[in-house]
Each structure stands twice: as C-alpha cells, then as structure tokens.
Amino acid sequence: MRGLDYKWIEALEAIVTQGSFERAAEGLYISQSAISQRLKQLEKFLAQPALIREQPPRPTLVGKKLLSLHKRVKLLESELIPELANQEQERALSISIATNADSLATWLLPAISPVMKSRKVEMNIVVYGESRTLDKMKSGEVVGAISQEEKPIQGCDADYLGRIDYVCVASQEFVDKYFSQGVNYKTLAMAPAVSFDQYDDLHKQYLHQHFNVPRDTIINHTVASSEAFVKLALSGVAYCLIPRLQIESELASAELVELTPNLFLTHRLYWHHWQLESGLLKEVTQSIIGFARDHLPQ
C-alpha cells in the first residue's frame, strides 16, 4: 500500500499559508491545476476532506493533524540532513511555541535565551490566554505550549513547571479613591478593573469566588499586555490581578499595594510538547522545565 506523499501535504500547507490555490501554486512553482491535483490525491488517500474550501481556505481536523506532522518532519530533516552530510547547518531552524502573556513577561525569555544564543534558531512565540494556548498545539501551529491543562493531548507529554500566584493590586491613590471603606461587594462594583481579553476569566473567578460579584456588573477594561497591566495599576487607572513574581519591586517600594493580602489565585502551569523529542526541541524542553522549576514556586 502506498503511504503518504509529502508533496500532497506540502500543497495543503501552501494553500492554507498563502490563502489561495493560485498563490500556493506560485509559491511552489507549479501550476494551479497541479496543486489542485495534489490535494485531490491527498483527500482520496484519506477518504475524507483535508481542506475546508472557503475564503480563506482552512484545514479540517485531519488536515491540521497532517500539517502538524509535516512541521515535525521538516524540523527533524533540517537537523538530520546536515549531520548526515557532515555539513554545517545553513539555515536557522524555525520553531513556534505558544505561551500566556504572564509567563512571557516574567520567566520564559530567560528560560529559552541560552538556547537562542547557542543554537541557530528562529523562535516564533505566540501569545494567548492560558486556556487557549493548547488549542495551537492541537492545531499543529506550534511545537510546544504553556498551559494550565494537566492532561496531555495524544502524542504529547505535559510536564509540570510550577505555579504563578496572582495578587490583586492597585496604587495607593486608587485605594484611597475607591476602597477607603474597604474591599467589599459594594466598593468592587464601583472600581474599574482590567482583564487580558474577553476569554480571560481570572478576574471573574476572583470576584465570584471571594466576593460573589458578577463580572458584567463592573467596569472592566481589556488590555492584551501583561506589562500594560502594571502600568495601568501604577497610574491609578484600575486595579488588577498581576503575578507576584512580576511586581516584587513595586510591592516592596509600596508603589503598588495588595488590596486583599490574604487572598490570591494560583495557576499551575504545564509544558506540553511532543513525545520522543530530539535535538533542538529537546534542548528547548529541558531549558523551559529546568528554569521554571528553579524559579517558579512549586
């Protein structure tokens, strides 16, 4: 029985990446008819569609799995072929990882910088909320993801990294304006807050768990930047939940104060990555796990 022809998957990847059959054909230096034929052969082999033909075209679930496989094969080839030919690696190896903004703002870059310095690598870091990073792993868009999810997806491992403790903070000016009567249901309902995006349920969890305050009853700004959270809190615009690790100096200098010193939320983080890694991917995994376990609360 004939196996997968990687030219078929290459055609699928080109169509998805370029956004059309015409541009995909141009990118592969073949005719549009040829690229259509390759996709038809792939779908005939699979006995199911690999592409949803809309604008822009997007892969089906099985198409996403094939693209993930192709990404892995290309990365392995780019490392193995120069080694077999006894040649130096000419092009940088490109890998993509998904992370939450708070990890990126605190510990992730120091964790992977040794690999970035020692290896010829092109690192693509995509940022999403903790609940969405694993979706990028499932779709094959990234080779690793930082997530709160403990259970690994098929073919992957999930290694515990440590935890991030979130504290609720504001400037003293903000506290004097909104919380002079204490932090309670009534005062929280009047004070502006900040969340990462519409998918961020951290603040909602905090308000509901400790004060039974519905999130939709408060003023809630959305800013997709962990660093901007700190600036907004320092400026007295809003209060927010920020990783303690990120604002240790601001707390020590009293530029920011904890609104509820005895209450905080904790997220346990896991590194999701392919099983049976080798070469560069193994180095990235070892760097992330080793650094996190040394620097994050366990």
Side-chain angles (χ1 to χ4, degrees):
M1 177 181 177
R2 184 183 180 187
L4 275 172
D5 187 332
Y6 280 91
K7 288 185 178 180
W8 302 341
I9 309 178
E10 182 183 51
L12 173 64
E13 181 184 51
I15 295 166
V16 172
T17 303
Q18 299 297 329
S20 74
F21 282 72
E22 182 181 0
R23 288 195 294 271
E26 291 175 357
L28 294 178
Y29 301 101
I30 59 176
S31 68
Q32 190 170 334
S33 173
I35 206 164
S36 296
Q37 186 62 31
R38 289 183 184 182
L39 182 62
K40 288 179 181 178
Q41 289 174 318
L42 174 63
E43 293 180 327
K44 182 179 179 180
F45 176 83
L46 298 171
Q48 59 180 302
L51 185 75
I52 299 173
R53 290 161 172 79
E54 58 182 26
Q55 286 300 326
R58 55 191 178 90
T60 62
L61 180 60
V62 70
K64 290 179 180 180
K65 291 181 178 180
L66 288 172
L67 292 178
S68 177
L69 171 65
H70 193 225
K71 189 186 294 288
R72 294 171 65 179
V73 169
K74 287 197 298 182
L75 183 58
L76 290 170
E77 283 183 350
S78 62
E79 284 195 289
L80 181 61
I81 291 176
E83 180 182 333
L84 294 177
N86 196 27
Q87 298 173 345
E88 287 191 14
Q89 177 187 320
E90 294 183 0
R91 298 183 61 185
L93 301 175
S94 178
I95 66 173
S96 300
I97 63 176
T99 179
N100 59 315
D102 295 328
S103 291
L104 183 62
T106 51
W107 64 271
L108 180 59
L109 290 180
I112 62 176
S113 59
V115 177
M116 296 173 72
K117 290 177 181 178
S118 63
R119 294 293 299 268
K120 199 171 185 179
V121 58
E122 182 180 77
M123 192 74 69
N124 177 35
I125 303 173
V126 295
V127 182
Y128 291 91
E130 293 92 336
S131 61
R132 301 176 63 209
T133 54
L134 203 55
D135 291 338
K136 299 299 172 182
M137 189 79 180
K138 293 176 182 177
S139 68
E141 296 176 58
V142 299
V143 298
I146 295 169
S147 172
Q148 295 179 59
E149 177 58 52
E150 180 179 3
K151 184 179 179 181
I153 59 178
Q154 186 175 6
C156 295
D157 286 330
D159 291 298
Y160 177 64
L161 298 173
R163 70 174 199 268
I164 291 186
D165 297 329
Y166 290 84
V167 292
C168 190
V169 298
S171 68
Q172 188 60 56
E173 172 194 1
F174 191 92
V175 173
D176 294 339
K177 181 177 181 179
Y178 289 98
F179 297 116
S180 59
Q181 303 301 313
V183 181
N184 52 54
Y185 184 101
K186 184 178 180 180
T187 55
L188 284 167
M190 300 296 294
V194 182
S195 294
F196 186 78
D197 59 21
Q198 67 269 34
Y199 303 102
D200 181 9
D201 65 351
L202 185 68
H203 204 89
K204 179 180 179 180
Q205 180 185 349
Y206 169 81
L207 290 173
H208 179 74
Q209 181 176 324
H210 297 303
F211 300 97
N212 200 30
V213 177
R215 174 177 168 173
D216 57 5
T217 64
I218 67 170
I219 299 172
N220 195 94
H221 306 294
T222 55
V223 182
S225 166
S226 188
E227 292 83 356
F229 270 44
V230 179
K231 291 181 179 179
L232 286 172
L234 288 170
S235 66
V237 170
Y239 75 99
C240 48
L241 289 157
I242 303 175
R244 184 184 297 277
L245 182 65
Q246 189 175 354
I247 53 170
E248 289 177 338
S249 62
E250 288 83 357
L251 290 173
S253 65
E255 293 177 90
L256 292 176
V257 295
E258 290 191 55
L259 298 180
T260 52
N262 297 320
L263 302 176
F264 61 92
L265 293 178
T266 292
H267 280 177
R268 293 168 62 86
L269 298 180
Y270 297 84
W271 170 242
H272 291 256
H273 59 100
W274 293 330
Q275 295 173 345
L276 304 176
E277 290 177 318
S278 62
L280 177 61
L281 295 184
K282 187 175 182 179
E283 287 183 38
V284 171
T285 287
Q286 290 173 338
S287 293
I288 287 176
I289 294 174
F291 189 92
R293 290 180 180 176
D294 286 340
H295 292 81
L296 294 181
Q298 297 297 306

